[in-house]
Amino acid sequence: MTSVRESPNSILMHISFVMNFLGGGLIAWVIIPLGGAAAFVLTRKPVAAIYWLLSLGLSAAAVQGVKQLVGRARPLDMLVVSDHGSFPSGHTANAATIAVVLGIVFRRTWIWVVGVLGIVVMAFTRTYLGAHWITDTLAGTLIGVCVAVIAWAALGVPLLKEQLRPRHQRSPR
């Protein structure tokens, strides 16, 4: 009998590879940060754009710094190619940072729910693919949440002013 992980056609395997693609490389390091910042600027939310970029940049830096300090080996049965160091998971840190930033900026319950589900799916798929130990994904989640909250503490007042300003009074086109 084969396990779900051993079946190359399993839906879970396909979802895991999609999450791997979305959470790393050019997508995570360039397209999501710049695309999100552009969307905020185009919707006249420049402070949100700064918060977005600052949070994602600090989260990535924190993950890489901890990876250098800890140097934990990845699981031996990894199904994807990844960078050095298992601890913490950059994919889950990125997912958590995105979830918290969007939750704070848009202040909608459904965004928080989707964000938490996204973090859980990312953490599960990183472990499922053998790229991380579960503690790596938990640490990545904590880093992402903490960085987004710390960045919010620094930008909270101007961000709130931007959110409360009527749309027609936001910065000019």
Side-chain angles (χ1 to χ4, degrees), residues 19-20 22-23 91-92 95 117-127:
M19 296 303 286
N20 180 64
L22 293 175
H91 282 67
T92 54
L117 290 173
I119 295 166
V120 169
V121 169
M122 184 63 79
F124 175 79
T125 59
R126 296 307 288 160
T127 305

Side-chain angles (χ1 to χ4, degrees), residues 31-48:
I31 294 173
I32 290 173
L34 295 180
F40 283 128
V41 168
L42 290 172
T43 57
R44 298 181 180 179
K45 295 179 179 166
V47 178

Side-chain angles (χ1 to χ4, degrees), residues 55-108:
S55 296
L56 289 172
L58 290 175
S59 178
V63 165
Q64 291 306 314
V66 174
K67 278 183 187 259
Q68 293 297 325
L69 287 172
V70 174
R72 183 180 195 181
R74 290 187 181 270
L76 295 176
D77 59 348
M78 191 165 61
L79 299 178
V80 292
V81 176
S82 205
D83 67 1
H84 70 285
S86 184
F87 185 91
S89 167
H91 282 67
T92 54
N94 203 33
T97 305
I98 289 168
V100 172
V101 169
L102 293 178
I104 287 172
V105 169
F106 292 110
R107 300 182 306 168
R108 299 281 186 268

Side-chain angles (χ1 to χ4, degrees), residues 99 103 108-120:
R108 299 281 186 268
T109 302
W110 71 267
I111 291 176
W112 285 103
V113 170
V114 170
V116 168
L117 290 173
I119 295 166
V120 169

